[in-house]
Amino acid sequence: METLKHECGVVQIRLLKPLEYYHKKYGTWMYALHKLYLLMEKQHNRGQEGAGLACVKIEARPGDEYMFRERATGTGAITEIFDSVYRNFKDTPAELLKDPLYAKTSLPFAGELYMGHLRYSTTGKTGLSYIHPFLRRNNWRARNLAVCGNFNMTNVTEIFQEITSTGQHPRNYSDTYFILEQLGHRLDREAERLFQKYGNEGLKNIDITQAIEENIDLSNVIEKAASTWDGGYVICGITGSGESFAIRDPWGIRTAFYYHDDEIAVLASERPVIQTVMNVDINDIKELQRGEAILINSKGEIRTNQILEPKELTACSFERIYFSRGSDIDIYKERKQLGENLVETILEKIDRDIENTVFSFIPNTAEVAYFGMMEGLQKYLDRLKTTQILEKGNSITEEEIRKILSQRIRNEKVALKDIKLRTFIAEGNSRNGLAAHVYDITYGSIVPAKDNLVVIDDSIVRGTTLKQSIISILDRLNPKKIIIVSSSPQIRYPDYYGIDMSSMNEFIAFKAAIGLLEDRRQENIIIDAYNKAKRQQIHTRSTIINYVKEIYEPFTDEDISRKIAQMLSGPDIRADIEIVFQTLDGLHAACPNHRGDWYFSGKYPTPGGARMVNQAFINYMEEIYFKQDNK
């Protein structure tokens, strides 16, 4: 019920034939531009704070621009950047605009190599200067570089030190800029290596330039730079001479998929996007593997290369629960299974009173898990009906059969999002009062004071929307009990690999654990965990331990769920409130190939993640906890 910001989206397109081919076959040389637009628009869910694209003309003449970029901010950024691209063509006579030979020599963005990016800020930094792709310019085509990615690096300080140790002086302190400079520096070294090699072979002037452009090995460039990266990432790049690459982190945290035939090569963050836009079978699309890169040289030759040694697979489970499009067949099945997994616990919470319980979902992203929950409930009811009929035996009457078979699972659309609360309306207590009206309810959808109300969500992070909007508005229906069901486990820890949740005090599960420790007079556990985290800061070379886990160790999942329910209730709420969370076992059973669960379990796949969660806890203690204690 709370929007998480996360996970940028990436797209790459490489045409493998001349523009004339696409004009003849598809009626337009803009074939790649149209595909780029669709691939970006269908990943709009991954980035609503900005978008950008870059294009390279591989056959540009000296003196002509060959590398183009367009960027924009805001939720309408995709439309804006493509409007800007097409405005370049508005004064071109119709007969010339239809001429692919004219386009490739004279029109901007009429190229063979494209890269697109959709941005969701995970750092709080906004503005056009933070929108990908980032560009590094040079007078030699092979040294021009554009980079974009879906990533967060957890060792920015170490990367900065590596860059400055080579004598570079970065003008910006951000992981994206550092990665651009790292890759750019290695690209320069690769070009210099080839210059030395072909110079020794007697090549000069344009011949040596051409030889360099045709033989740049981007695997050398990526391998040296990526060896310093700690985090989850898919990083893409294109050069001015027409090479491209995309590399996935060795833990498989972030995702990327690709497809190619003899006409085109395409890469995107999500599989069904390629399926739909390219109209290809799922079996024709491949997933970029851990530590693997896909590389396409200036001649259009495609290869994959194992750049980094694969680590233990910890692909992000939130991709499956929430972020990726549910139109992927595997994700659809997994989300349904997540919902079905919760049925037995839900039945226990309602004392198996199916007759007097209404089931629903909020928000729309929880709809697939809701379908799975409903299927699981129907299976239970079918078994119950069978048992009831068999128990009656031969003495059962037609009326009894009719009554048994008439039992059903009651489902209603009890709530819908009615307005978007604007930040300029009000702040503080006034804003909280207005928040209750973000959702509206379907009056008469339940029997007051008699029905239980079960509402499934895909995740519960901060709990603010639940408390301020959902529960208060649902309570107006006067149910006997409100059960909020989360298809994901309790979110206890920050994410540092792309999802915008990095402050300990954001998580209602963490607040609940702190509250329970205070209730039980066990504040010493909080202080001990803080002191251990502080001591570990000094011993930077030792194994990093996530000491925040100690905050949760005294409690069961149910203890924390009960405390969360208490925190979400209040004197104005008449219904009993209960919270049901997915278990970690249930998550892994539903999503067996995406076992990255650090935000639930605290098991960070990289050292940087564990280091940063301890720092977040230290920040919480020093900025919030101790100050509260002193009041």
Side-chain angles (χ1 to χ4, degrees):
M1 299 170 194
E2 297 146 318
T3 300
L4 293 177
K5 297 180 180 180
H6 122 299
E7 309 255 4
C8 302
V10 296
V11 176
Q12 279 186 324
I13 293 178
R14 174 62 152 88
L15 296 179
L16 304 176
K17 296 184 182 295
L19 291 189
E20 307 93 276
Y21 173 90
Y22 305 94
H23 181 76
K24 183 177 180 180
K25 182 171 181 178
Y26 299 106
T28 177
W29 59 263
M30 299 183 196
Y31 174 76
L33 265 175
H34 295 166
K35 295 297 185 186
L36 181 69
Y37 170 75
L38 290 172
L39 288 162
M40 292 179 69
E41 191 61 64
K42 287 186 177 294
Q43 293 186 106
H44 203 167
N45 56 297
R46 304 186 71 88
Q48 298 181 32
E49 292 185 0
L53 66 85
C55 169
V56 171
K57 285 178 180 281
I58 295 177
E59 299 180 10
R61 300 166 299 194
D64 290 345
E65 180 59 86
Y66 52 88
M67 202 167 193
F68 306 88
R69 178 180 65 167
E70 193 67 54
R71 299 180 297 172
T73 60
T75 57
I78 298 174
T79 300
E80 186 175 336
I81 61 175
F82 279 92
D83 281 348
S84 296
V85 168
Y86 290 120
R87 275 198 298 272
N88 288 288
F89 312 144
K90 67 182 179 65
D91 296 327
T92 304
E95 63 275 12
L96 290 179
L97 188 60
K98 295 178 181 178
D99 184 351
L101 293 176
Y102 175 80
K104 67 194 281 186
T105 56
S106 305
L107 295 180
F109 295 98
E112 298 84 4
L113 178 56
Y114 293 89
M115 185 167 69
H117 186 262
L118 299 127
R119 183 175 192 260
Y120 245 148
S121 171
T122 59
T123 62
K125 296 177 180 178
T126 58
L128 196 63
S129 61
Y130 294 100
I131 303 296
H132 303 197
F134 277 30
L135 278 182
R136 192 176 191 263
R137 289 294 202 174
N138 195 287
N139 263 1
W140 277 266
R141 291 199 310 177
R143 295 191 183 192
N144 280 267
L145 179 66
V147 169
C148 73
N150 171 16
F151 65 91
N152 254 23
M153 296 300 173
T154 61
N155 63 332
V156 175
T157 301
E158 289 85 349
I159 296 173
F160 176 75
Q161 291 170 349
E162 192 270 340
I163 292 173
T164 54
S165 69
T166 65
Q168 296 185 70
H169 191 101
R171 292 171 288 121
N172 196 335
Y173 196 92
S174 72
D175 53 4
T176 308
Y177 187 79
F178 292 167
I179 286 168
L180 176 72
E181 291 304 316
Q182 269 189 310
L183 291 167
H185 173 68
R186 295 300 177 184
L187 185 61
D188 289 344
R189 299 290 79 78
E190 172 69 5
E192 289 166 5
R193 179 185 71 82
L194 292 175
F195 183 84
Q196 184 77 28
K197 176 179 183 292
Y198 293 121
N200 292 339
E201 294 176 7
L203 296 183
K204 295 181 180 180
N205 302 327
I206 190 67
D207 292 332
I208 198 169
T209 298
Q210 186 173 346
I212 291 171
E213 290 185 357
E214 291 178 353
N215 292 279
I216 284 279
D217 187 351
L218 287 182
S219 62
N220 291 338
V221 174
I222 305 165
E223 183 176 3
K224 290 181 173 63
S227 63
T228 66
W229 299 342
D230 181 302
Y233 54 83
V234 170
I235 294 176
C236 306
I238 58 178
T239 73
S241 52
E243 296 84 15
S244 68
F245 72 87
I247 180 172
R248 185 182 185 187
D249 67 81
W251 301 271
I253 296 170
R254 300 274 73 86
T255 61
F257 299 85
Y258 64 92
Y259 162 82
H260 66 86
D261 53 28
D262 62 344
E263 295 182 352
I264 193 170
V266 174
L267 178 136
S269 294
E270 299 189 26
R271 183 172 61 178
V273 170
I274 300 176
Q275 280 183 263
T276 301
V277 173
M278 303 308 301
N279 190 25
V280 294
D281 188 83
I282 189 172
N283 296 316
D284 295 326
I285 301 171
K286 298 179 180 178
E287 184 172 4
L288 200 63
Q289 298 301 305
R290 289 167 285 158
E292 185 180 54
I294 181 169
L295 306 110
I296 308 177
N297 65 18
S298 59
K299 300 173 186 176
E301 297 168 337
I302 304 168
R303 77 182 197 277
T304 57
N305 196 347
Q306 192 67 50
I307 300 293
L308 300 170
E309 180 182 352
K311 308 291 186 181
E312 181 182 358
L313 178 61
T314 48
C316 175
S317 57
F318 244 120
E319 282 277 359
R320 320 301 282 185
I321 298 168
Y322 182 86
F323 294 113
S324 292
R325 292 166 64 92
S327 54
D328 184 291
I329 185 171
D330 292 334
I331 293 175
Y332 185 78
K333 290 178 180 177
E334 289 168 10
R335 289 181 182 174
K336 286 183 71 176
Q337 188 61 54
L338 286 167
E340 187 170 347
N341 287 350
L342 294 159
V343 166
E344 185 57 35
T345 306
I346 293 169
L347 289 170
E348 292 172 3
K349 294 293 184 183
I350 63 171
D351 296 323
R352 302 189 180 271
D353 185 5
I354 291 288
E355 182 180 355
N356 297 302
T357 302
V358 171
F359 299 88
S360 193
F361 64 92
I362 305 174
N364 288 340
T365 50
E367 187 174 13
V368 179
Y370 166 77
F371 290 153
M373 178 184 72
M374 294 302 290
E375 285 186 11
L377 288 165
Q378 188 60 54
K379 291 175 184 176
Y380 164 77
L381 185 55
D382 289 344
R383 292 192 300 270
L384 180 63
K385 290 178 180 180
T386 301
T387 300
Q388 290 172 344
I389 291 172
L390 291 174
E391 285 177 348
K392 292 287 185 179
N394 294 332
S395 63
I396 192 168
T397 65
E398 182 178 342
E399 183 180 349
E400 287 173 329
I401 292 175
R402 189 179 296 113
K403 183 178 180 181
I404 291 171
L405 293 181
S406 68
Q407 296 175 96
R408 63 184 181 88
I409 305 298
R410 297 169 59 196
N411 58 304
E412 302 286 352
K413 181 76 172 178
V414 297
L416 64 153
K417 199 161 190 177
D418 195 35
I419 62 170
K420 182 175 182 180
L421 190 65
R422 301 293 181 179
T423 55
F424 60 76
I425 292 177
E427 298 298 333
N429 293 331
S430 298
R431 180 176 175 82
N432 291 342
L434 289 167
H437 298 278
V438 170
Y439 288 86
D440 205 351
I441 50 173
T442 306
Y443 291 96
S445 55
I446 72 168
V447 179
K450 184 178 181 182
D451 282 341
N452 301 305
L453 179 57
V454 176
V455 178
I456 191 168
D457 188 10
D458 41 36
S459 60
I460 299 172
V461 186
R462 303 169 184 90
T464 50
T465 304
L466 268 176
K467 185 170 185 176
Q468 295 172 5
S469 300
I470 304 296
I471 291 175
S472 62
I473 198 73
L474 292 179
D475 193 55
R476 296 186 183 187
L477 293 170
N478 195 22
K480 182 173 65 174
K481 181 186 290 188
I482 298 173
I483 301 168
I484 304 296
V485 180
S486 171
S487 65
S488 69
Q490 295 169 1
I491 298 174
R492 299 180 170 190
Y493 305 91
D495 177 78
Y496 297 107
Y497 306 121
I499 302 172
D500 180 23
M501 45 183 192
S502 58
S503 171
M504 294 302 309
N505 203 43
E506 289 184 333
F507 306 117
I508 193 166
F510 177 75
K511 291 179 181 178
I514 293 291
L516 285 170
L517 288 171
E518 292 173 337
D519 292 345
R520 300 182 184 186
R521 300 289 189 268
Q522 292 180 300
E523 291 91 344
N524 61 297
I525 293 176
I526 305 172
I527 304 301
D528 287 347
Y530 166 75
N531 289 331
K532 289 175 182 177
K534 287 289 284 186
R535 285 195 295 269
Q536 187 171 240
Q537 283 185 312
I538 302 170
H539 306 293
T540 56
R541 295 186 179 276
S542 61
T543 301
I544 306 297
I545 298 171
N546 176 6
Y547 287 113
V548 184
K549 285 185 175 184
E550 296 185 4
I551 301 298
Y552 298 97
E553 283 177 0
F555 312 114
T556 65
D557 291 353
E558 184 62 25
D559 289 336
I560 293 174
S561 293
R562 280 196 297 268
K563 183 65 175 178
I564 291 173
Q566 177 188 330
M567 294 167 67
L568 294 178
S569 189
D572 297 331
I573 303 299
R574 294 168 295 179
D576 291 335
I577 306 298
E578 295 207 43
I579 308 290
V580 172
F581 285 95
Q582 185 77 241
T583 64
L584 275 175
D585 288 343
L587 170 68
H588 294 151
C591 309
N593 299 318
H594 292 74
R595 302 185 69 83
D597 62 3
W598 50 91
Y599 14 72
F600 310 126
S601 68
K603 297 176 183 176
Y604 289 88
T606 77
R611 185 184 307 112
M612 291 183 76
V613 72
N614 283 315
Q615 185 59 56
F617 180 59
I618 292 169
N619 293 344
Y620 161 79
M621 294 294 291
E622 295 177 353
E623 295 172 9
I624 297 174
Y625 187 82
F626 289 139
K627 289 182 180 179
Q628 291 175 342
D629 195 46
N630 290 332
K631 288 182 179 179

